[in-house]
Amino acid sequence: MSPRNAIDVRPIAEDEIPEWIRALNTGFLRPPTVKESEVADRSTYLVPARTLGAFDGGRCVGTFRSFPQQLTAVGGTAVAADAISNVTVTSTHRRRGILTRMMAQDLAAAKERGDTVATLIAAEYPIYGRYGFGAATAAAEWTIDVPRAGLDRRWAGPDDGGRIDLVDGDDVRRTGPELHERLRRTLPGAIDRDERWWQVRTGVLTLDRSSWTEPFYAVYRDARGEVEGLLAYTVDDQWGDAKQPNDTARVKDMIALTPAAERALWRYVCSVDWVTKVRTGWRAPDDLVPHLLPDPRAARITTQADWLWVRVLDVVAALEARTYTGTGSLVLELVDPAGLCGGRYRLDASPQGATCTPTTESAALTMDMGELGSLWLGDESAVRLAALGRVREERAGAGSAADALLRTSRRPWCPDIF
């Protein structure tokens, strides 16, 4: 076994992309075979300076990639994020500090660039807290038992003057990006989607590592004819022994700009002939869908888990970027073993805006950077974190005061994985 300092952690060269992909596939337990088509595809979007490999001799044993991202803060401001993905360490080289070195290089570069936060979606929960990340949003999936939902099976369309139309992938690529941008500007936790995202999700670009089934696409148009919602779903082909249909519709994506659009699209997919179950796909944990049904018990939670993780890199920029519905001041002591942005900060916030400055005043709350990441988008409670021993109240009632400033009326949500 090579000593730790013999492992070379560095950005990969162009001719090392195949070896990097082999290590990536190995880490994610996919066949390690590297196809030329995958090399060609990844070469179009990998940022060389932000694609790290850990090399033991000539063999890649660790992978790490980051890329620019726009993340919506509370109130609609987009902040620059360092999005982290494709993180693996080969099982033969665990517990040798490889991930720590790759993460330290990337976060230091992100801090130098001026990124406000770093983001990732964790395959395993215990890994990223030690690097200052905190679970900032959650996601849930429901399975709707359509016959039990109490819906009128004779439903033929919205009764608000709007309509549902089926469209194709070309239509989605024309209308989807602008529709998503309108949603993203109002949804804390949402991230941007580039052109490649739409090409992959509409089958223009198919990937060797994933199967492709052409979805059905439905749009909701309001009474003026404006597109206010988009739904993508697939349906399997299942029949019972008594020649009864038992199909499941699986929602792949839904963009709904208004409650009317959301209601109409859920109602539509639950009314498709032969569909007896609807899998909602990943949704916000406080999504409206169960209570849009006459019998909400017909929608049972299939999965609920943490989703987007946030690591604050610039405390002042992060706290000043978001909005606040209440008025108050809060002094935070932030512990950051990585040395990127720890210290003591005073937040003065009101509906008119916020200022955050370093201070020597006594702290009201002490926490690690991961806890700040969990609180920043408004999903987590400082009172709850204090009860868990993850936040320390230096002044009685400080947790409640923090919640009054930081928490949001609707839970943040990131509709995408990366």
Side-chain angles (χ1 to χ4, degrees), residues 279-334:
R279 294 285 294 264
T280 66
W282 291 104
R283 304 294 301 167
D286 61 348
D287 199 87
L288 301 180
V289 61
H291 295 281
L292 294 176
L293 307 174
D295 185 352
R297 294 182 183 180
R300 62 179 177 85
I301 288 182
T302 306
T303 308
Q304 184 165 332
D306 58 281
W307 196 247
L308 184 74
W309 289 57
V310 168
R311 205 285 187 201
V312 174
L313 297 172
D314 186 329
V315 175
V316 171
L319 290 176
E320 289 185 349
R322 57 159 290 168
T323 59
Y324 303 84
T325 57
T327 299
S329 299
L330 190 65
V331 177
L332 303 174
E333 180 77 33
L334 302 174

Side-chain angles (χ1 to χ4, degrees), residues 257-278:
L257 301 185
T258 64
E262 189 170 359
R263 184 179 301 109
L265 289 172
W266 284 123
R267 188 65 185 87
Y268 162 75
V269 75
C270 287
S271 71
V272 174
D273 288 338
W274 299 357
V275 167
T276 59
K277 286 186 173 59
V278 172

Side-chain angles (χ1 to χ4, degrees), residues 168-170 172-173 196-217 232-234 252-253:
D168 60 22
D170 288 339
V172 171
R173 288 187 296 277
R196 185 176 185 276
W197 190 97
W198 293 99
Q199 290 178 340
V200 171
R201 294 324 189 273
T202 57
V204 171
L205 179 60
T206 57
L207 308 179
D208 290 330
R209 59 187 179 273
S210 60
S211 59
W212 168 253
T213 299
E214 182 79 17
F216 299 96
Y217 303 106
Y233 65 98
T234 60
K252 301 299 183 181
D253 191 33

Side-chain angles (χ1 to χ4, degrees), residues 158 162-168 171-172 175-176 179 216-222 225-233 255 261 264-265 268:
R163 58 180 289 169
I164 302 288
D165 292 311
L166 289 175
V167 298
D168 60 22
D171 296 312
V172 171
T175 63
L179 197 66
F216 299 96
Y217 303 106
V219 296
Y220 168 81
R221 303 180 195 274
D222 65 14
E226 298 292 326
V227 176
E228 296 287 331
L230 170 66
L231 169 69
Y233 65 98
I255 299 171
L265 289 172
Y268 162 75

Side-chain angles (χ1 to χ4, degrees), residues 62 71 150 167 180 192 194 197 202 238 270 277 290 378 384 410:
L71 171 66
V167 298
H180 175 262
D192 57 323
D194 61 14
W197 190 97
T202 57
Q238 299 291 326
C270 287
K277 286 186 173 59
R384 184 170 181 268
R410 290 292 301 273

Side-chain angles (χ1 to χ4, degrees), residues 125 129 133-136 309 333 335 365-375 380-393:
Y125 191 96
F133 287 85
W309 289 57
E333 180 77 33
V335 181
L365 291 172
T366 297
M367 66 187 74
D368 290 342
M369 296 306 302
E371 278 58 59
L372 180 62
S374 294
L375 292 167
E380 187 54 273
S381 159
V383 171
R384 184 170 181 268
L385 292 179
L388 291 168
R390 294 166 51 188
V391 164
R392 186 170 71 246
E393 287 189 314

